[in-house]
Amino acid sequence: MTSQSKKTKQELVEELTKKHAQVADLEKMLSACLDKEWDVLRDLPIAAYETDPDGVLTNVNNECHALFGTKPNDNWRNKKVTEFIHPDDIEVTFERFNKVQRGERVPGRTLKAVKGDGTMFYVKTYPQVLKRGGKIVGTRGCMVDITEMKEIQEALRKSEERYSLVVQGANDGIWDWDIESDEVYYSPRYKEMLGYEGNEFPNLNQSWLDSLHPDDADQAVMNLNHCLETGEPFQSEFRMRHKNGSWRWILSRGGCLKNKEGKPYRVSGTHTDITARKYGEQALKESEELHNALSRATFEGILISEKGVILAANHAACEMFGASHSEFTGSYIPDFVTADYKEIIRNHIKMGYEAPYEVVGIRKNGTTFPVEFQGKTFSFRGKTTRVTAVRDITLRKQAEERYRALFENALEGVYQSTPEGRFLTMNHSYAALFGYDSPQAMIDEVTDIRTQLYVNPKDRETTAEIMKKHGRIHNYEVQLKKRDGSKIWVSESSRMVYDDKGHFLYYEGFVEDITERKTNQRTTQVLYEISNAISTTSDLQELYATIHGILNKAIDATNFFIALTDEENKKLLFPYHRDEVDAYFTDFDDIEFDEIKGPCLTLEVVRSNKPLFITREESERLEAQQKLQILGTPSAVWLGVPLSIKGRAIGAMAVQHYTDKDHYSDADIKLMTAVSEQVALAIEKKGTEEELFRLNEQLESMVLERTKQLMDKAKQLEEANERLKELDKLKSGLISSISHELRTPLTSIRGFAKLTLKDFERYFAPRDEENPAFGKQAQRIRQNLKIVKSEGERLTRLINDFLDLNRIESGRMEWNDEWIAPGAVARAAHDSVMGQFAEDASVHFSLDVADGLPEIYVDPDRMQQVLINLLHNAHKFTEKGEVRITVKQKGGVIRFIVSDTGIGIPEKDQKRIFEKFQKRRHGDTLSGAKEGTGLGLAICRELINRYGGEIWVESLPGKGSDFIFDIPIKPM
């Protein structure tokens, strides 16, 4: 340092003093600046304050007053900051001031502050050290009200906690996709929903896409893309494949974040497994559909109510009362019935009455109709509700009225009775059936059905057992008693009636009087048995006993007799008599009319030819008046009927009872009367049979003698037959021998005639022109030679026909059967005779064979023989027109038809032309036609019969003929 640079002490002091003065000036200037600085702070829009080093407030700006709810003129000075701090944060505040006093930096902090009215709120302070002249003179700071932010933070915290709890409770899966990096996060729960762990489900977007159900993938991707495009949150339901291959329903919710350019960069969301819910929804939907269907389909109206107020009504109830569902809801059930029934319904609702009961309903239009209510009370969702079924019983009421009318007016008797045997109700027909004036009279009088109505009380027990076993009886026939004691037959159909709990209440049914029908049936059976007895009994005594047995089954015929009159000898005969009292009466064979002093019962019946029904009292009265003579012991009741044949009485039969005058009824009289004529006929027929038997015995001896004579004649005929058989053998041998002997010279004659004609034509025919006389003679010779040839051929055919017929009849014909097509046989025959038709242009010859004909099992040569024979005849008797062969199938046969347009055959000749030696009579129509042998058609018939076929002709004279024969497809 140089001397110039060195300053003296004085200089230094002066310089220092000067500096101090400058500093003092600067401090004065700074103090003035500080005051001006607070003036700036006073109007700042942020709360500001200043304190001394001990924390006593020195300055507070207007915004601070507003923050603490004080006024600027309030005395703040000498108040410590801690007076405005919540006790919870006072200790922290002291620590912060200590740091300020030490000159340390104090960061901003959130504190709880207290307003002037004591309200606590949150502020964040930002204090700093305030120095003056290098000394710490206090602090200056600003405060920000963060109460709202704290509340938001607190709400956010609570929301985050709730979200965390909800996520954990809902068991949702979380997913997050960073679109820019294409990183995807799947939470463990997300993967667990699908049955995966850890890396089994890669954190790739493709993992989600691959798991989607094919039917849901497009919609799920579309929903996500819509969120990315619009920024709107999305919610989507789709199916994802579980690890085990099943499909799980997922509810996906999410949203996306976009950058400043509006481009999405992040999308997140949750997955909730809603499989159970979906299945539940489906089940609920099906249940609701079923419930709605049942509700709408049921014919009953259904009302759901609480304390009588209707909560819901089904479709049927709305239709029934003509009201809408809204009109029903909130209404009072008694409002839908007439006034007479309102109180009944109220009481039933209070009591919880469940049995059905009838009321009169009111429709919306004011009309009334009968209805049946039946309610049931139960608890539903903590409330006591009642379901009421409402049934329109108009039709039932009408049916009941009709039933009541039918019940009252039915021709059959209808009844109801207790298990103990008393009547509950019945119609007039039932009471009248048993002879009572009214149903009530019978109900009052009959106290025990079993003993008072049933002829046999055990029948009542039987019907009860049957109904107990089967629940009912149908058309059960039983005999009952009327009020006057007479018996009737009825057909009963009844059933047992039970209540809802299965308790037996009563019997109900109807009965029909079948007395007449039973009588007719009994009469028919008796008539049948008596008629049958004629052929099963050997004599009259057995017939009498059989008739007695038959009648005894139908009525009581213990005491019974048959009497016959012998008018010629004036006798009353008793051929049959059975009696438990007058048994001795059977010793009488007959009684002379003269021995009877007065008219007796039996003669009275015979003479009057009418039934007689008489009691002991009446018969004794008539006897006392000498108007009647009683033979034997008088009976309590006597019933006799005449035995008549064609209106003429031949006798009588009678039954009687000695103790019971009511033993026989009108039905018994009808039965005896109805069968009396059959008994008379049976007696007469049996008597005639006995007479015939005697005549037969006489004839038998005559027949035996005549039989012996016939046997002698038969023996003679048998011997003659043996001789004829021997002659037939000789005939066959003779025919064969003669045929052979004739055939040999005929062959020579035909051969020489043919050669002679041939030589004559060669050597002599050229001279015809030279000598006319010779020509005529040559023509005659030529004609004669042709006749010799033709007659030789005819004679050969005759011999062949004889031989064929002989072989067929003697069984020596050779048969070479084989399966062959019918068309082949017809074509062979067609070709064989084609030459004959070719020479005659006036007759057209054709063949018509159907396609696809099955083969037949025949001898082809014999079939051709039949066809050729028929074709020869057709050619012979057809002057012009057509000859045709037709072959076709007709059912199970092949039908051959040879048709011609020739002279035809009269109907009287059509059957006999197939007999031997029968020839077609053609008169003068075809005078040139040669006569046949009369054997051709007979041979045809024999050949066709051999194969089980049939041949016939259909013809009209002058129109032509159809010769038809059938050959079975299946061989016989």
Side-chain angles (χ1 to χ4, degrees):
M1 177 178 299
T2 64
S3 58
Q4 293 179 351
S5 63
K6 292 182 179 180
K7 292 182 179 182
T8 65
K9 182 175 181 180
Q10 184 62 36
E11 289 176 345
L12 289 174
V13 169
E14 290 177 357
E15 186 177 355
L16 181 60
T17 302
K18 187 179 180 179
K19 294 291 184 185
H20 279 296
Q22 290 177 348
V23 169
D25 291 337
L26 289 172
E27 284 181 350
K28 288 180 180 179
M29 293 175 61
L30 179 60
S31 175
C33 289
L34 289 174
D35 291 338
K36 291 181 180 180
E37 183 181 90
W38 180 249
D39 290 338
V40 174
L41 293 175
R42 182 178 292 111
D43 295 324
L44 282 177
I46 187 169
Y49 66 91
E50 288 181 352
T51 70
D52 64 10
D54 295 326
V56 177
L57 291 168
T58 57
N59 286 307
V60 177
N61 71 352
N62 294 332
E63 188 63 28
C64 193
H65 281 293
L67 181 63
F68 282 89
T70 60
K71 296 180 180 179
N73 56 1
D74 288 343
N75 186 14
W76 279 73
R77 293 186 179 276
N78 299 323
K79 287 186 177 182
K80 288 190 174 183
V81 173
T82 53
E83 294 182 20
F84 296 94
I85 301 301
H86 193 276
D88 293 345
D89 290 340
I90 289 177
E91 185 177 350
V92 174
T93 304
F94 279 125
E95 290 179 358
R96 287 169 63 83
F97 272 105
N98 289 335
K99 288 183 179 181
V100 171
Q101 291 173 356
R102 292 194 298 269
E104 297 178 6
R105 183 178 179 274
V106 180
R109 180 177 177 87
T110 301
L111 298 173
K112 295 179 183 176
V114 179
K115 292 187 177 185
D117 60 0
T119 303
M120 190 273 291
F121 67 106
Y122 289 93
V123 295
K124 189 166 186 178
T125 63
Y126 298 92
Q128 63 181 358
V129 177
L130 185 62
K131 293 182 179 181
R132 296 286 189 272
K135 295 181 180 180
I136 297 174
V137 295
T139 62
R140 176 185 290 171
C142 65
M143 292 180 291
V144 179
D145 186 351
I146 63 169
T147 303
E148 185 177 356
M149 184 181 71
K150 286 289 288 185
E151 290 175 350
I152 292 173
Q153 288 176 344
E154 182 66 19
L156 179 60
R157 182 186 64 79
K158 291 181 179 179
S159 175
E160 289 175 348
E161 289 177 353
R162 284 196 298 270
Y163 177 74
S164 177
L165 291 173
V166 168
V167 169
Q168 292 177 9
N171 225 4
D172 286 349
I174 307 298
W175 59 273
D176 181 74
W177 179 26
D178 189 329
I179 299 175
E180 294 179 353
S181 65
D182 200 25
E183 293 180 358
V184 181
Y185 168 75
Y186 299 116
S187 71
R189 175 58 189 152
Y190 183 104
K191 298 179 180 181
E192 183 184 346
M193 285 182 194
L194 303 176
Y196 296 101
E197 296 180 1
N199 296 329
E200 290 182 336
F201 193 86
N203 290 332
L204 300 173
N205 189 40
Q206 193 63 37
S207 300
W208 173 67
L209 293 172
D210 292 343
S211 299
L212 289 173
H213 192 286
D215 295 342
D216 303 337
D218 291 344
Q219 187 62 44
V221 173
M222 187 184 302
N223 292 339
L224 178 60
N225 290 337
H226 180 75
C227 174
L228 296 175
E229 292 172 2
T230 63
E232 297 176 358
F234 72 91
Q235 178 172 307
S236 180
E237 294 182 3
F238 47 78
R239 285 165 288 182
M240 294 183 70
R241 186 185 295 278
H242 194 274
K243 182 180 178 181
N244 61 15
S246 64
W247 294 99
R248 310 296 294 178
W249 275 99
I250 301 298
L251 171 62
S252 178
R253 299 186 184 93
C256 70
L257 297 175
K258 293 187 177 183
N259 57 23
K260 295 179 181 180
E261 290 78 19
K263 182 178 180 181
Y265 66 90
R266 192 183 194 92
V267 59
S268 313
T270 61
H271 272 195
T272 306
D273 187 343
I274 59 170
T275 304
R277 192 197 80 188
K278 291 293 284 187
Y279 288 152
E281 288 175 352
Q282 182 64 26
L284 179 60
K285 181 180 178 182
E286 292 175 357
S287 176
E288 289 178 348
E289 289 177 352
L290 177 61
H291 172 75
N292 291 334
L294 290 175
S295 177
R296 295 184 67 85
T298 181
F299 294 105
E300 290 185 346
I302 303 296
L303 303 177
I304 301 176
S305 62
E306 181 182 1
K307 296 180 180 180
V309 177
I310 299 172
L311 304 177
N314 71 342
H315 183 72
C318 294
E319 285 192 343
M320 193 181 300
F321 287 90
S324 65
H325 187 273
S326 60
E327 290 172 327
F328 258 118
T329 305
S331 300
Y332 194 41
I333 290 181
D335 293 341
F336 290 92
V337 298
T338 59
D340 296 339
Y341 296 96
K342 292 182 183 294
E343 189 63 28
I344 294 174
I345 291 184
R346 293 191 191 99
N347 292 333
H348 285 174
I349 291 174
K350 292 177 183 177
M351 296 167 52
Y353 186 74
E354 294 187 357
Y357 59 95
E358 296 179 6
V359 297
V360 178
I362 303 177
R363 297 187 180 93
K364 182 180 178 181
N365 60 12
T367 59
T368 61
F369 64 106
V371 293
E372 181 183 78
F373 277 24
Q374 184 174 14
K376 186 176 181 66
T377 302
F378 65 96
S379 179
F380 179 69
R381 294 181 178 177
K383 296 181 179 180
T384 300
T385 57
R386 185 173 177 85
V387 174
T388 304
V390 185
R391 308 176 184 94
D392 185 344
I393 59 173
T394 303
L395 295 178
R396 191 180 81 187
K397 282 294 193 181
Q398 292 173 353
E400 288 177 355
E401 290 298 325
R402 289 195 297 269
Y403 173 76
R404 185 175 293 105
L406 290 172
F407 179 83
E408 294 296 337
N409 301 315
L411 297 178
E412 295 86 358
V414 185
Y415 77 95
Q416 290 179 339
S417 66
T418 67
E420 295 74 26
R422 290 190 67 105
F423 284 110
L424 294 172
T425 183
M426 66 181 65
N427 65 351
H428 288 280
S429 296
Y430 193 93
L433 180 64
F434 290 92
Y436 291 88
D437 296 332
S438 67
Q440 192 59 47
M442 187 171 181
I443 291 172
D444 294 339
E445 185 171 329
V446 178
T447 58
D448 185 1
I449 295 174
R450 177 178 175 274
T451 58
Q452 291 179 259
L453 284 191
Y454 282 80
V455 173
N456 183 0
K458 289 185 178 181
D459 287 338
R460 173 69 174 180
E461 299 169 6
T462 301
T463 58
E465 287 297 324
I466 295 174
M467 282 193 282
K468 185 177 180 180
K469 183 177 181 181
H470 300 289
R472 64 182 60 242
I473 58 173
H474 182 64
N475 292 339
Y476 184 81
E477 296 181 359
V478 65
Q479 199 170 23
L480 303 179
K481 293 183 291 187
K482 297 178 71 171
R483 188 179 191 183
D484 59 5
S486 59
K487 303 170 186 177
I488 59 172
W489 279 95
V490 300
S491 172
E492 180 178 4
S493 295
S494 303
R495 69 185 184 100
M496 300 174 71
V497 181
Y498 300 86
D499 62 14
D500 294 338
K501 297 181 180 180
H503 298 144
F504 174 41
L505 298 177
Y506 54 85
Y507 297 107
E508 70 175 9
F510 63 89
V511 295
E512 179 186 2
D513 186 351
I514 59 169
T515 305
E516 185 174 356
R517 191 186 79 194
K518 288 290 288 186
T519 301
N520 293 336
Q521 288 178 350
R522 182 176 61 171
T523 302
T524 301
Q525 182 64 25
V526 170
L527 290 173
Y528 170 77
E529 292 182 7
I530 292 174
S531 177
N532 192 47
I534 298 172
S535 57
T536 58
T537 54
S538 58
D539 53 35
L540 276 172
Q541 282 302 313
E542 185 179 355
L543 176 64
Y544 296 147
T546 302
I547 291 172
H548 181 202
I550 293 170
L551 288 174
N552 201 29
K553 289 188 296 183
I555 62 174
D556 184 2
T558 303
N559 305 301
F560 171 79
F561 69 82
I562 293 175
L564 300 176
T565 57
D566 183 358
E567 295 291 345
E568 184 177 351
N569 297 311
K570 304 295 183 183
K571 291 182 179 181
L572 183 62
L573 311 177
F574 292 89
Y576 186 85
H577 186 277
R578 295 292 183 270
D579 197 284
E580 58 186 350
V581 176
D582 291 334
Y584 68 91
F585 204 63
T586 57
D587 295 336
F588 296 113
D589 291 333
D590 52 55
I591 298 176
E592 299 283 347
F593 288 168
D594 295 339
E595 296 178 11
I596 302 174
K597 298 177 181 178
C600 67
L601 295 176
T602 304
L603 280 179
E604 183 64 22
V605 170
V606 174
R607 297 286 164 78
S608 66
N609 200 14
K610 293 180 180 180
L612 179 59
F613 184 79
I614 190 169
T615 62
R616 178 187 294 135
E617 290 79 5
E618 188 176 0
S619 61
E620 288 177 347
R621 179 177 59 80
L622 292 174
E623 185 176 33
Q625 297 174 359
Q626 295 184 352
K627 295 181 179 179
L628 181 68
Q629 180 180 354
I630 299 176
L631 302 178
T633 304
S635 58
V637 61
W638 189 92
L639 169 60
V641 294
L643 299 177
S644 302
I645 298 177
K646 296 181 180 180
R648 180 178 62 85
I650 64 170
M653 65 177 179
V655 293
Q656 57 187 348
H657 199 274
Y658 286 98
T659 58
D660 184 7
K661 66 181 181 62
D662 298 321
H663 196 66
Y664 297 112
S665 63
D666 292 341
D668 297 328
I669 299 173
K670 291 179 181 179
L671 172 67
M672 290 284 287
T673 304
V675 302
S676 62
E677 185 173 355
Q678 184 71 14
V679 172
L681 290 173
I683 293 172
E684 183 182 53
K685 186 174 182 181
K686 200 64 182 178
T688 303
E689 285 180 358
E690 288 188 351
E691 183 65 26
L692 289 174
F693 181 76
R694 288 191 293 272
L695 293 173
N696 284 337
E697 287 182 340
Q698 297 175 7
L699 288 173
E700 279 184 4
S701 60
M702 298 173 62
V703 170
L704 288 174
E705 179 63 27
R706 183 59 179 166
T707 300
K708 183 176 180 304
Q709 295 175 3
L710 291 174
M711 289 179 66
D712 292 340
K713 290 290 185 182
K715 186 175 181 180
Q716 295 174 9
L717 289 173
E718 186 177 354
E719 292 174 353
N721 188 45
E722 290 298 326
R723 288 197 297 272
L724 287 174
K725 288 181 180 179
E726 293 177 0
L727 290 174
D728 187 61
K729 290 181 181 179
L730 291 174
K731 178 203 72 172
S732 297
L734 179 62
I735 289 174
S736 297
S737 176
I738 292 174
S739 298
H740 177 71
E741 293 300 327
L742 287 175
R743 187 180 294 175
T744 300
L746 274 175
T747 302
S748 299
I749 292 171
R750 289 172 57 201
F752 282 118
K754 186 176 181 180
L755 289 174
T756 301
L757 180 60
K758 187 176 181 180
D759 290 342
F760 182 80
E761 292 289 348
R762 179 184 297 177
Y763 298 110
F764 297 98
R767 299 181 182 181
D768 291 353
E769 298 177 358
E770 299 175 0
N771 189 346
F774 181 79
K776 292 181 179 180
Q777 190 65 29
Q779 182 64 26
R780 187 181 303 111
I781 293 172
R782 185 184 294 111
Q783 186 67 32
N784 290 339
L785 288 173
K786 288 181 179 179
I787 291 173
V788 171
K789 177 186 175 184
S790 175
E791 291 299 315
E793 291 175 350
R794 189 167 70 85
L795 187 56
T796 300
R797 286 197 300 272
L798 175 62
I799 294 171
N800 289 336
D801 288 347
F802 268 115
L803 287 174
D804 286 343
L805 188 60
N806 184 57
R807 291 193 194 99
I808 294 171
E809 291 179 345
S810 62
R812 292 183 290 106
M813 174 69 80
E814 294 182 1
W815 305 92
N816 298 310
D817 294 340
E818 62 181 70
W819 287 102
I820 189 170
V825 175
R827 290 187 187 90
H830 173 273
D831 296 343
S832 296
V833 299
M834 188 65 187
Q836 292 182 351
F837 289 95
E839 296 176 357
D840 190 357
S842 60
V843 178
H844 176 67
F845 183 38
S846 62
L847 173 65
D848 181 12
V849 179
D851 295 332
L853 295 177
E855 294 184 339
I856 54 177
Y857 192 69
V858 294
D859 186 334
D861 293 337
R862 299 306 173 194
M863 288 298 100
Q864 290 181 34
Q865 181 179 351
V866 173
L867 286 171
I868 290 171
N869 199 333
L870 296 177
L871 290 170
H872 279 312
N873 287 343
H875 180 264
K876 184 190 304 181
F877 296 106
T878 303
E879 185 175 4
K880 61 180 180 178
E882 181 185 13
V883 174
R884 181 176 67 256
I885 305 174
T886 303
V887 186
K888 61 183 178 180
Q889 184 175 354
K890 186 76 171 178
V893 300
I894 298 298
R895 178 161 292 179
F896 295 83
I897 306 173
V898 176
S899 306
D900 64 59
T901 57
I903 62 176
I905 304 171
E907 184 177 358
K908 63 180 181 180
D909 295 334
Q910 289 179 12
K911 290 186 178 180
R912 64 187 188 87
I913 60 173
F914 292 98
E915 302 295 332
K916 289 181 287 187
F917 304 110
Q918 297 296 324
K919 302 178 183 180
R920 181 185 293 186
R921 299 181 179 181
H922 50 79
D924 298 332
T925 305
L926 292 174
S927 57
K930 297 180 180 179
E931 291 286 348
T933 63
L935 295 176
L937 292 178
I939 293 172
C940 291
R941 184 185 63 180
E942 295 294 334
L943 293 175
I944 298 303
N945 288 345
R946 195 263 179 183
Y947 292 105
E950 183 181 3
I951 186 170
W952 71 96
V953 65
E954 296 176 359
S955 179
L956 289 174
K959 300 293 184 180
S961 303
D962 289 340
F963 280 85
I964 308 167
F965 66 91
D966 291 341
I967 299 297
I969 296 172
K970 293 183 179 180
M972 297 297 289

